[in-house]
Amino acid sequence: MPLQALRTVAKSQNGVGAFILQCKRIDFHYCDWAGSSRGMNAFLKHQLPAFAAQNPSIEISVSPRPGRHPVIKGQYINGREKAICVRNMEATEVTKKAELLKTASGEKLRRDRKPVKSFNESVRGVWSPFHGRQYKI
Amino acid sequence: MRASRAAEQTLRSATLSPPQQYVCRACRAQAARQFHTSIRGQAGLPFFQRLQQQLFGSKESEQAEKSRGAKKLQQVEDLKQRGSSNQLEVKVAKNGQQYEVAAVVVPNETTDYVQALHGKQLERIGSEAWVKARADQGEQYAGFVPKYRWEFSNKQWQMLLHHVIVEILTLQKAGRVPGDVCMGRRPFANSWQKTRKAQLKANTTGTGVAVSYPFPAVEERVLTAIDSSSPAESTLLQQSLTAKAESAVFVAGISSEGPAPAWMNVSIKDPSVKMALVKRILQITGMRVPDYAISSSTIADLYNRLRRLERPKKIAETEQLQRLKINAPNVNVFPARRSSIDKEKDIGRWKVIEEELVRRNLPVTGRRWGGVKATSL
């Protein structure tokens, strides 16, 4: 095995020592008049206090957006933002969407092509044409 | 969102054919019976006769004209018999109210009466020129209706109605005209405080409502406070009257929501009581009570039609979110839409942006109005 130098800086792994929630802020936008905002309004009145108490590390802002559909926007530590339109949803469904945003990492949604993800190097070495049994004609 | 909905409906109505309405035979027959192309009264007459009547008059119209003339002459004869032309005929209506019949002037006999040839020659009472002319002579015109309409809350309406109806019923009980409620008040009468102690109860006989005071002296004071000899409280004193009313009706503990209280089931079918009530409301608040409210049979109906319904609270104004603002330190509730400028102000970047925009002579807010430019910081 080739020589490996010691790392001067420890590799960060979120959750090993301390866990930092990636979602830093959630904005709830609603409309006082529109019918599509009924579920959102009910969520804000009845379920938001519990959600805010369970997640003290998330900054929550509630502001009206008159004449528009209700929207939940989450901002993440990696600088990205995710928005979900919750038009015509019930309060329970809005809660689920808020939970979804809270548990997201902020990364783009990608399809994983490889089944295994690891930072560890290959145990037996990556194949190259220069190593291994020589082929003689 | 609203615009798209309106556009959708317009497109739908344009593309769909109009629905065919079915009308039954009975309705069609009824409509045909009601349909007339000529005036009913003249329908039976031939055309020539109708034209003759229009130009030269008919026997019926001549007879009606004669009877009117005879009535007028009879009135003049009655006046002459009464002696003085200043005395007017007094008639008594069904409710006991006395009315004076207007004087009749016969132009042929009255020499100092000159008939006007057209309306412009007549004096217009109450016009601006008339008021100005009177003011120039030193007379100060005092109107009845106040200049501004005062807004009362529901609590204040309840108190105001209680005060006014107590005064009216007290006057009626004492045998005075209910209309006197609009007359002037003696100084230092403080009748607003006195009427608060009065109670309204249904009559033992079962007709109407009776007002009762804890002490007869209070009732006497309320009656003596209303000075029938003085003119109606004028607009000159309007501000003081309404200020008095506002301070007097400011009472804590009366719920502004919910239905009218029990004492309000006072019948106001008596026209003199209703008229006095409506006049007094107009005099104090400047509010002209609309017809649908005047037609109320009880004060509770009148109150329900006059009171303002509570405006539905916005989400940010509800108790739950107000409480959340206080209890949860990680929650911010904003009552109005947050613009990009608000977001920049939160971060503290707006000062820099604004400074730079001003330096470059660019509009700070808005871009459609050509004159929008920040001239100074």
Side-chain angles (χ1 to χ4, degrees):
Chain A
M1 219 166 113
L3 193 70
Q4 259 190 343
L6 284 169
R7 285 204 184 92
T8 50
V9 177
K11 208 174 199 179
S12 61
Q13 287 183 350
N14 196 14
V16 171
F19 174 69
I20 298 169
L21 196 66
Q22 296 298 293
C23 178
K24 60 180 181 180
R25 185 189 165 99
I26 296 184
D27 296 330
F28 293 92
H29 297 294
Y30 64 93
C31 176
D32 284 299
W33 170 84
S36 58
S37 198
R38 270 181 298 203
M40 172 63 124
N41 294 354
F43 165 81
L44 292 173
K45 279 196 272 191
H46 306 297
Q47 281 154 29
L48 182 64
F51 182 83
Q54 279 163 18
N55 304 288
S57 63
I58 301 177
E59 185 189 345
I60 293 171
S61 119
V62 179
S63 62
R65 252 185 116 213
R68 302 266 190 231
H69 285 309
V71 155
I72 311 177
K73 287 185 185 174
Q75 286 171 18
Y76 299 89
I77 289 172
N78 63 358
R80 292 194 72 248
E81 191 182 87
K82 278 186 160 186
I84 300 180
C85 177
V86 292
R87 65 174 191 220
N88 299 321
M89 286 188 192
E90 297 297 328
T92 46
E93 290 171 299
V94 174
T95 314
K96 282 184 191 163
K97 294 299 178 191
E99 289 288 332
L100 187 78
L101 283 176
K102 170 192 116 181
T103 52
S105 65
E107 292 295 329
K108 275 189 188 176
L109 298 176
R110 286 189 188 96
R111 181 166 67 94
D112 270 330
R113 289 179 175 277
K114 310 266 167 77
V116 178
K117 236 185 190 176
S118 173
F119 290 115
N120 297 330
E121 286 179 359
S122 162
V123 175
R124 290 177 57 190
V126 180
W127 180 87
S128 77
F130 305 106
H131 299 94
R133 204 161 48 150
Q134 300 287 328
Y135 184 76
K136 285 183 182 168
I137 302 168
Chain B
M1 209 159 66
R2 291 181 217 190
S4 63
R5 223 184 262 160
E8 270 175 20
Q9 256 185 339
T10 317
L11 276 170
R12 211 182 298 131
S13 58
T15 49
L16 289 174
S17 56
Q20 289 190 5
Q21 288 182 350
Y22 171 73
V23 181
C24 72
R25 204 186 282 178
C27 294
R28 266 191 236 161
Q30 195 187 20
R33 277 198 296 273
Q34 302 302 325
F35 179 66
H36 302 288
T37 52
S38 54
I39 304 165
R40 256 196 201 167
Q42 295 181 344
L45 296 172
F47 171 73
F48 182 71
Q49 212 170 341
R50 233 186 300 150
L51 194 62
Q52 207 176 21
Q53 271 186 13
Q54 274 175 9
L55 291 171
F56 305 113
S58 62
K59 282 182 192 169
E60 289 89 4
S61 60
E62 277 173 19
Q63 275 174 6
E65 193 73 43
K66 273 185 192 166
S67 68
R68 277 198 292 272
K71 232 183 180 176
K72 224 175 179 179
L73 285 169
Q74 185 63 35
Q75 276 179 337
V76 171
E77 285 298 323
D78 288 342
L79 266 172
K80 278 184 184 167
Q81 279 172 14
R82 238 181 280 126
S84 162
S85 59
N86 290 337
Q87 278 183 5
L88 298 168
E89 186 194 341
V90 174
K91 276 192 175 173
V92 181
K94 283 180 198 172
N95 59 357
Q97 192 95 19
Q98 286 187 343
Y99 296 98
E100 284 178 337
V101 180
V104 174
V105 177
V106 181
N108 302 332
E109 297 187 14
T110 335
T111 47
D112 55 350
Y113 173 77
V114 178
Q115 264 187 327
L117 294 171
H118 53 79
K120 282 181 189 172
Q121 291 178 334
L122 295 172
E123 185 188 9
R124 286 191 179 195
I125 309 291
S127 65
E128 277 189 35
W130 181 83
V131 170
K132 217 174 171 183
R134 293 264 172 149
D136 289 344
Q137 289 164 16
E139 186 186 311
Q140 206 168 5
Y141 177 67
F144 184 83
V145 181
K147 258 188 179 176
Y148 308 104
R149 190 180 144 176
W150 297 90
E151 296 290 335
F152 281 115
S153 69
N154 292 341
K155 274 193 246 181
Q156 290 171 333
W157 266 118
Q158 287 183 21
M159 286 301 295
L160 176 72
L161 286 172
H162 183 265
H163 168 74
V164 174
I165 199 67
V166 160
E167 279 195 322
I168 291 170
L169 291 175
T170 310
L171 283 167
Q172 207 179 38
K173 195 177 165 185
R176 284 165 68 174
V177 174
D180 281 354
V181 74
C182 296
M183 293 300 179
R185 300 287 186 274
R186 293 190 204 283
F188 309 110
N190 205 14
S191 53
W192 291 88
Q193 302 296 328
K194 306 262 181 310
T195 53
R196 236 185 262 174
K197 297 167 191 170
Q199 277 187 356
L200 297 163
K201 283 179 199 166
N203 256 339
T204 43
T205 51
T207 54
V209 178
V211 61
S212 62
Y213 288 84
F215 305 105
V218 176
E219 188 174 353
E220 192 56 41
R221 280 202 194 136
V222 169
L223 275 170
T224 49
I226 302 169
D227 190 3
S228 299
S229 56
S230 73
E233 287 180 303
S234 66
T235 48
L236 296 171
L237 306 167
Q238 195 51 52
Q239 267 188 334
S240 63
L241 171 63
T242 318
K244 244 193 289 178
E246 282 190 326
S247 62
V249 300
F250 180 71
V251 175
I254 294 181
S255 163
S256 60
E257 294 176 22
W263 67 261
M264 279 196 172
N265 294 327
V266 174
S267 167
I268 45 169
K269 280 189 182 160
D270 186 0
S272 57
V273 168
K274 196 182 271 190
M275 174 69 173
L277 180 64
V278 166
K279 260 182 95 172
R280 188 66 173 154
I281 289 172
L282 174 63
Q283 192 181 33
I284 295 175
T285 64
M287 181 186 178
R288 291 169 204 274
V289 183
D291 288 348
Y292 60 83
I294 289 180
S295 61
S296 315
S297 51
T298 61
I299 292 198
D301 285 342
L302 179 67
Y303 169 70
N304 286 330
R305 283 165 184 167
L306 292 178
R307 72 177 179 149
R308 278 182 291 178
L309 293 168
E310 296 289 329
R311 186 176 62 90
K313 276 190 183 165
K314 301 212 166 178
I315 298 291
E317 292 167 3
T318 54
E319 284 171 27
Q320 292 97 329
L321 260 76
Q322 291 296 315
R323 230 180 294 138
L324 189 62
K325 229 162 111 174
I326 299 162
N327 297 339
N330 59 331
V331 175
N332 287 321
V333 177
F334 300 103
R337 192 180 74 86
R338 304 276 292 162
S339 64
S340 51
I341 294 175
D342 293 318
K343 288 172 192 166
E344 298 289 355
K345 277 182 182 168
D346 283 345
I347 304 169
R349 227 166 22 198
W350 178 246
K351 281 185 238 177
V352 177
I353 296 169
E354 197 179 12
E355 202 181 306
E356 191 56 32
L357 286 168
V358 167
R359 195 182 68 78
R360 295 186 195 190
N361 202 24
L362 290 168
V364 175
T365 51
R367 52 192 158 85
R368 286 183 189 172
W369 179 33
V372 175
K373 291 225 181 217
T375 51
S376 60
L377 283 171

